[in-house]
Amino acid sequence: MAEFISTFATGFQNIIKKNLPELIKGVKILNIFDGLIHYQYNGNSRELEKVLYFNNTFFVIKTLKTQNNNENDCFTMLINDFYKDKKYFLISKGTFRVRFSNENQFVKIDKKVIQKIEENVIKNSKMKVDRVSPSTEIWFSKRREGFCFCGQLIFKREFTEKNLNKGELRPEIAYLICSFSDIHPNENILEPFCGYGSIPIQLVKKFHFNHLFACDIDEHKVSLLKEKKQLQNKDSVNVFCEDALTLNNIPDKSIDKIITDPPWGFYEEMGDILCFYDKMFESFERVLKSKESFVIILTARKTELEEIIQKHKYNIVEKIDTLVNGKKASVYKLKR
């Protein structure tokens, strides 16, 4: 059975371990680490491109586990194995280059070694070398856990921050947060800082709920979100302008889960962040149905949030530490 390796946002390995076999039928997970999953799959590899949270996906040529943390030992073993037998490449035409990565950082390798690998790839395929803008890449990679692999890059997600509005949440992070939220079909969901709609769009596209309330204080963002085709003609979705610190248009005790990415204060003026969070939780407490209701919140202001969590007597049920646009952040699942 063909083996693949895919990378994803740090921190979400437990979510992906559960989600991937449900999403792609026939997947068998072999190894999973922080930010990387190794699995078998005999279906059409193009199906893997549809997995929103995968960044890079590789067709596996060789994997190994080293007992020590010596980068050179790992690369030497992978290279020696690469020369042994005729190699099969999933993409056998086009152009390629060779890359070496140690703990997610590209490293320089002797040019003669690179040239010998290139000659071997050319001999076993119809590919040509292009060290600037190739159609595929052959990677030799080592992780800090001692897991090493040689693989052919078959898919790279080109979506970057340049495709987003300032402060807009990446769609794959929004999807993973929604998966983390464990949504049920009978639940009323509130996103009180919906912004450009990353979380509401993923909720509507991929999840089942009873009703979704998506609001924001910014009229322009709300207007743009209402125009999104994913949210049009949906009786179970309300998009409207509202101040999350009051939520005047949300009835008391009507919400099962709040899933949100409130402002971090990096791109907008917020005043005192502690005061902001304090008022926010006062507003949340009024609209949540009961002490069995959950708040799922993403923030980079962890110290301030945890101070207010303690004040309002919420318990941290679960927490995921991750990176969002290069900034350290955490997703909290809270319950009173």
Side-chain angles (χ1 to χ4, degrees):
M1 188 179 287
E3 294 184 17
F4 298 88
I5 284 172
S6 296
T7 62
F8 53 85
T10 183
F12 289 98
Q13 57 270 23
N14 290 335
I15 303 298
I16 289 170
K17 183 178 181 180
K18 178 183 177 183
N19 179 266
L20 183 61
E22 297 173 353
L23 199 63
I24 305 290
K25 301 302 180 185
V27 162
K28 180 182 178 183
I29 296 173
L30 302 175
N31 296 288
I32 188 161
F33 306 101
D34 186 12
L36 181 145
I37 186 167
H38 174 208
Y39 53 98
Q40 291 179 329
Y41 179 59
N42 256 3
N44 188 336
S45 61
R46 287 296 182 91
E47 289 297 307
L48 303 176
E49 297 180 19
K50 300 176 184 178
V51 181
L52 181 63
Y53 47 74
F54 282 168
N55 296 324
N56 293 341
T57 294
F58 301 87
F59 171 69
V60 171
I61 297 169
K62 177 69 175 179
T63 63
L64 58 89
K65 184 84 172 175
T66 59
Q67 297 299 318
N68 58 52
N69 211 28
N70 190 306
E71 152 194 343
N72 292 327
D73 287 351
C74 167
F75 290 154
T76 299
M77 287 187 284
L78 286 174
I79 292 167
N80 288 341
D81 180 84
F82 192 78
Y83 297 146
K84 279 183 181 179
D85 306 304
K86 179 178 173 64
K87 294 296 183 259
Y88 170 75
F89 301 99
L90 197 60
I91 301 171
S92 60
K93 297 179 182 180
T95 58
F96 76 97
R97 67 180 168 191
V98 178
R99 311 200 83 168
F100 282 76
S101 171
N102 182 33
E103 297 184 13
N104 297 322
Q105 298 292 323
F106 289 122
V107 293
K108 290 184 177 181
I109 299 294
D110 187 278
K111 288 183 179 179
K112 292 181 180 179
V113 174
I114 297 290
Q115 288 171 354
K116 190 174 179 181
I117 294 170
E118 290 172 345
E119 291 169 2
N120 191 279
V121 173
I122 292 168
K123 185 176 70 174
N124 287 283
S125 72
K126 295 180 180 180
M127 291 187 285
K128 297 179 180 180
V129 175
D130 181 346
R131 300 188 184 101
V132 178
S133 184
S135 54
T136 186
E137 297 175 347
I138 307 301
W139 280 43
F140 294 79
S141 180
K142 176 187 174 298
R143 290 179 54 91
R144 65 173 55 92
E145 300 95 342
F147 180 77
C148 311
F149 74 90
C150 174
Q152 181 182 31
L153 181 65
I154 62 169
F155 172 71
K156 181 178 182 179
R157 191 165 301 285
E158 299 295 340
F159 192 94
T160 67
E161 282 71 37
K162 294 178 182 178
N163 304 103
L164 300 172
N165 295 287
K166 195 172 184 179
E168 184 177 358
L169 186 63
R170 291 178 66 101
E172 71 271 24
I173 299 295
Y175 174 83
L176 289 167
I177 290 171
C178 293
S179 296
F180 175 63
S181 302
D182 192 24
I183 298 157
H184 298 284
N186 63 337
E187 291 182 328
N188 293 332
I189 310 296
L190 168 65
E191 208 316 20
F193 298 97
C194 67
Y196 293 101
S198 295
I199 289 175
I201 287 170
Q202 293 306 317
L203 284 168
V204 169
K205 288 173 66 176
K206 305 290 186 180
F207 298 87
H208 299 288
F209 51 81
N210 181 55
H211 204 95
L212 169 62
F213 300 92
C215 57
D216 198 280
I217 199 170
D218 189 319
E219 292 182 3
H220 175 65
K221 291 177 182 177
V222 169
S223 177
L224 291 176
L225 183 56
K226 284 182 177 180
E227 294 174 4
K228 297 282 187 180
K229 62 180 181 180
Q230 298 95 332
L231 302 186
Q232 291 179 356
N233 302 316
K234 297 284 186 181
D235 293 336
S236 59
V237 179
N238 280 27
V239 180
F240 54 97
C241 196
E242 175 70 280
D243 184 351
L245 304 188
T246 58
L247 295 174
N248 290 327
N249 291 305
I250 303 292
D252 293 359
K253 299 188 182 306
S254 60
I255 301 298
D256 296 286
K257 281 192 176 97
I258 296 173
I259 307 170
T260 190
D261 171 27
W264 297 357
F266 297 149
Y267 307 108
E268 58 282 293
E269 288 294 328
M270 293 177 57
D272 185 341
I273 187 73
L274 287 173
C275 182
F276 179 87
Y277 278 157
D278 193 22
K279 291 180 179 178
M280 179 182 77
F281 273 95
E282 286 179 2
S283 178
F284 288 178
E285 285 159 19
R286 180 182 64 78
V287 301
L288 287 169
K289 280 187 177 179
S290 69
K291 290 185 178 181
E292 298 302 311
S293 302
F294 288 90
V295 176
I296 295 87
I297 185 167
L298 170 68
T299 186
R301 306 295 292 269
K302 295 181 277 188
T303 302
E304 295 92 337
L305 180 70
E306 289 182 15
E307 181 176 333
I308 297 301
I309 286 171
Q310 189 173 17
K311 177 182 177 181
H312 286 262
K313 298 182 179 178
Y314 277 84
N315 296 313
I316 301 174
V317 178
E318 196 172 347
K319 175 185 172 186
I320 292 175
D321 294 319
T322 189
L323 291 173
V324 177
N325 300 341
K327 292 182 173 63
K328 291 182 178 180
S330 293
V331 189
Y332 293 80
K333 183 181 287 184
L334 308 174
K335 185 178 177 183
R336 294 194 78 187

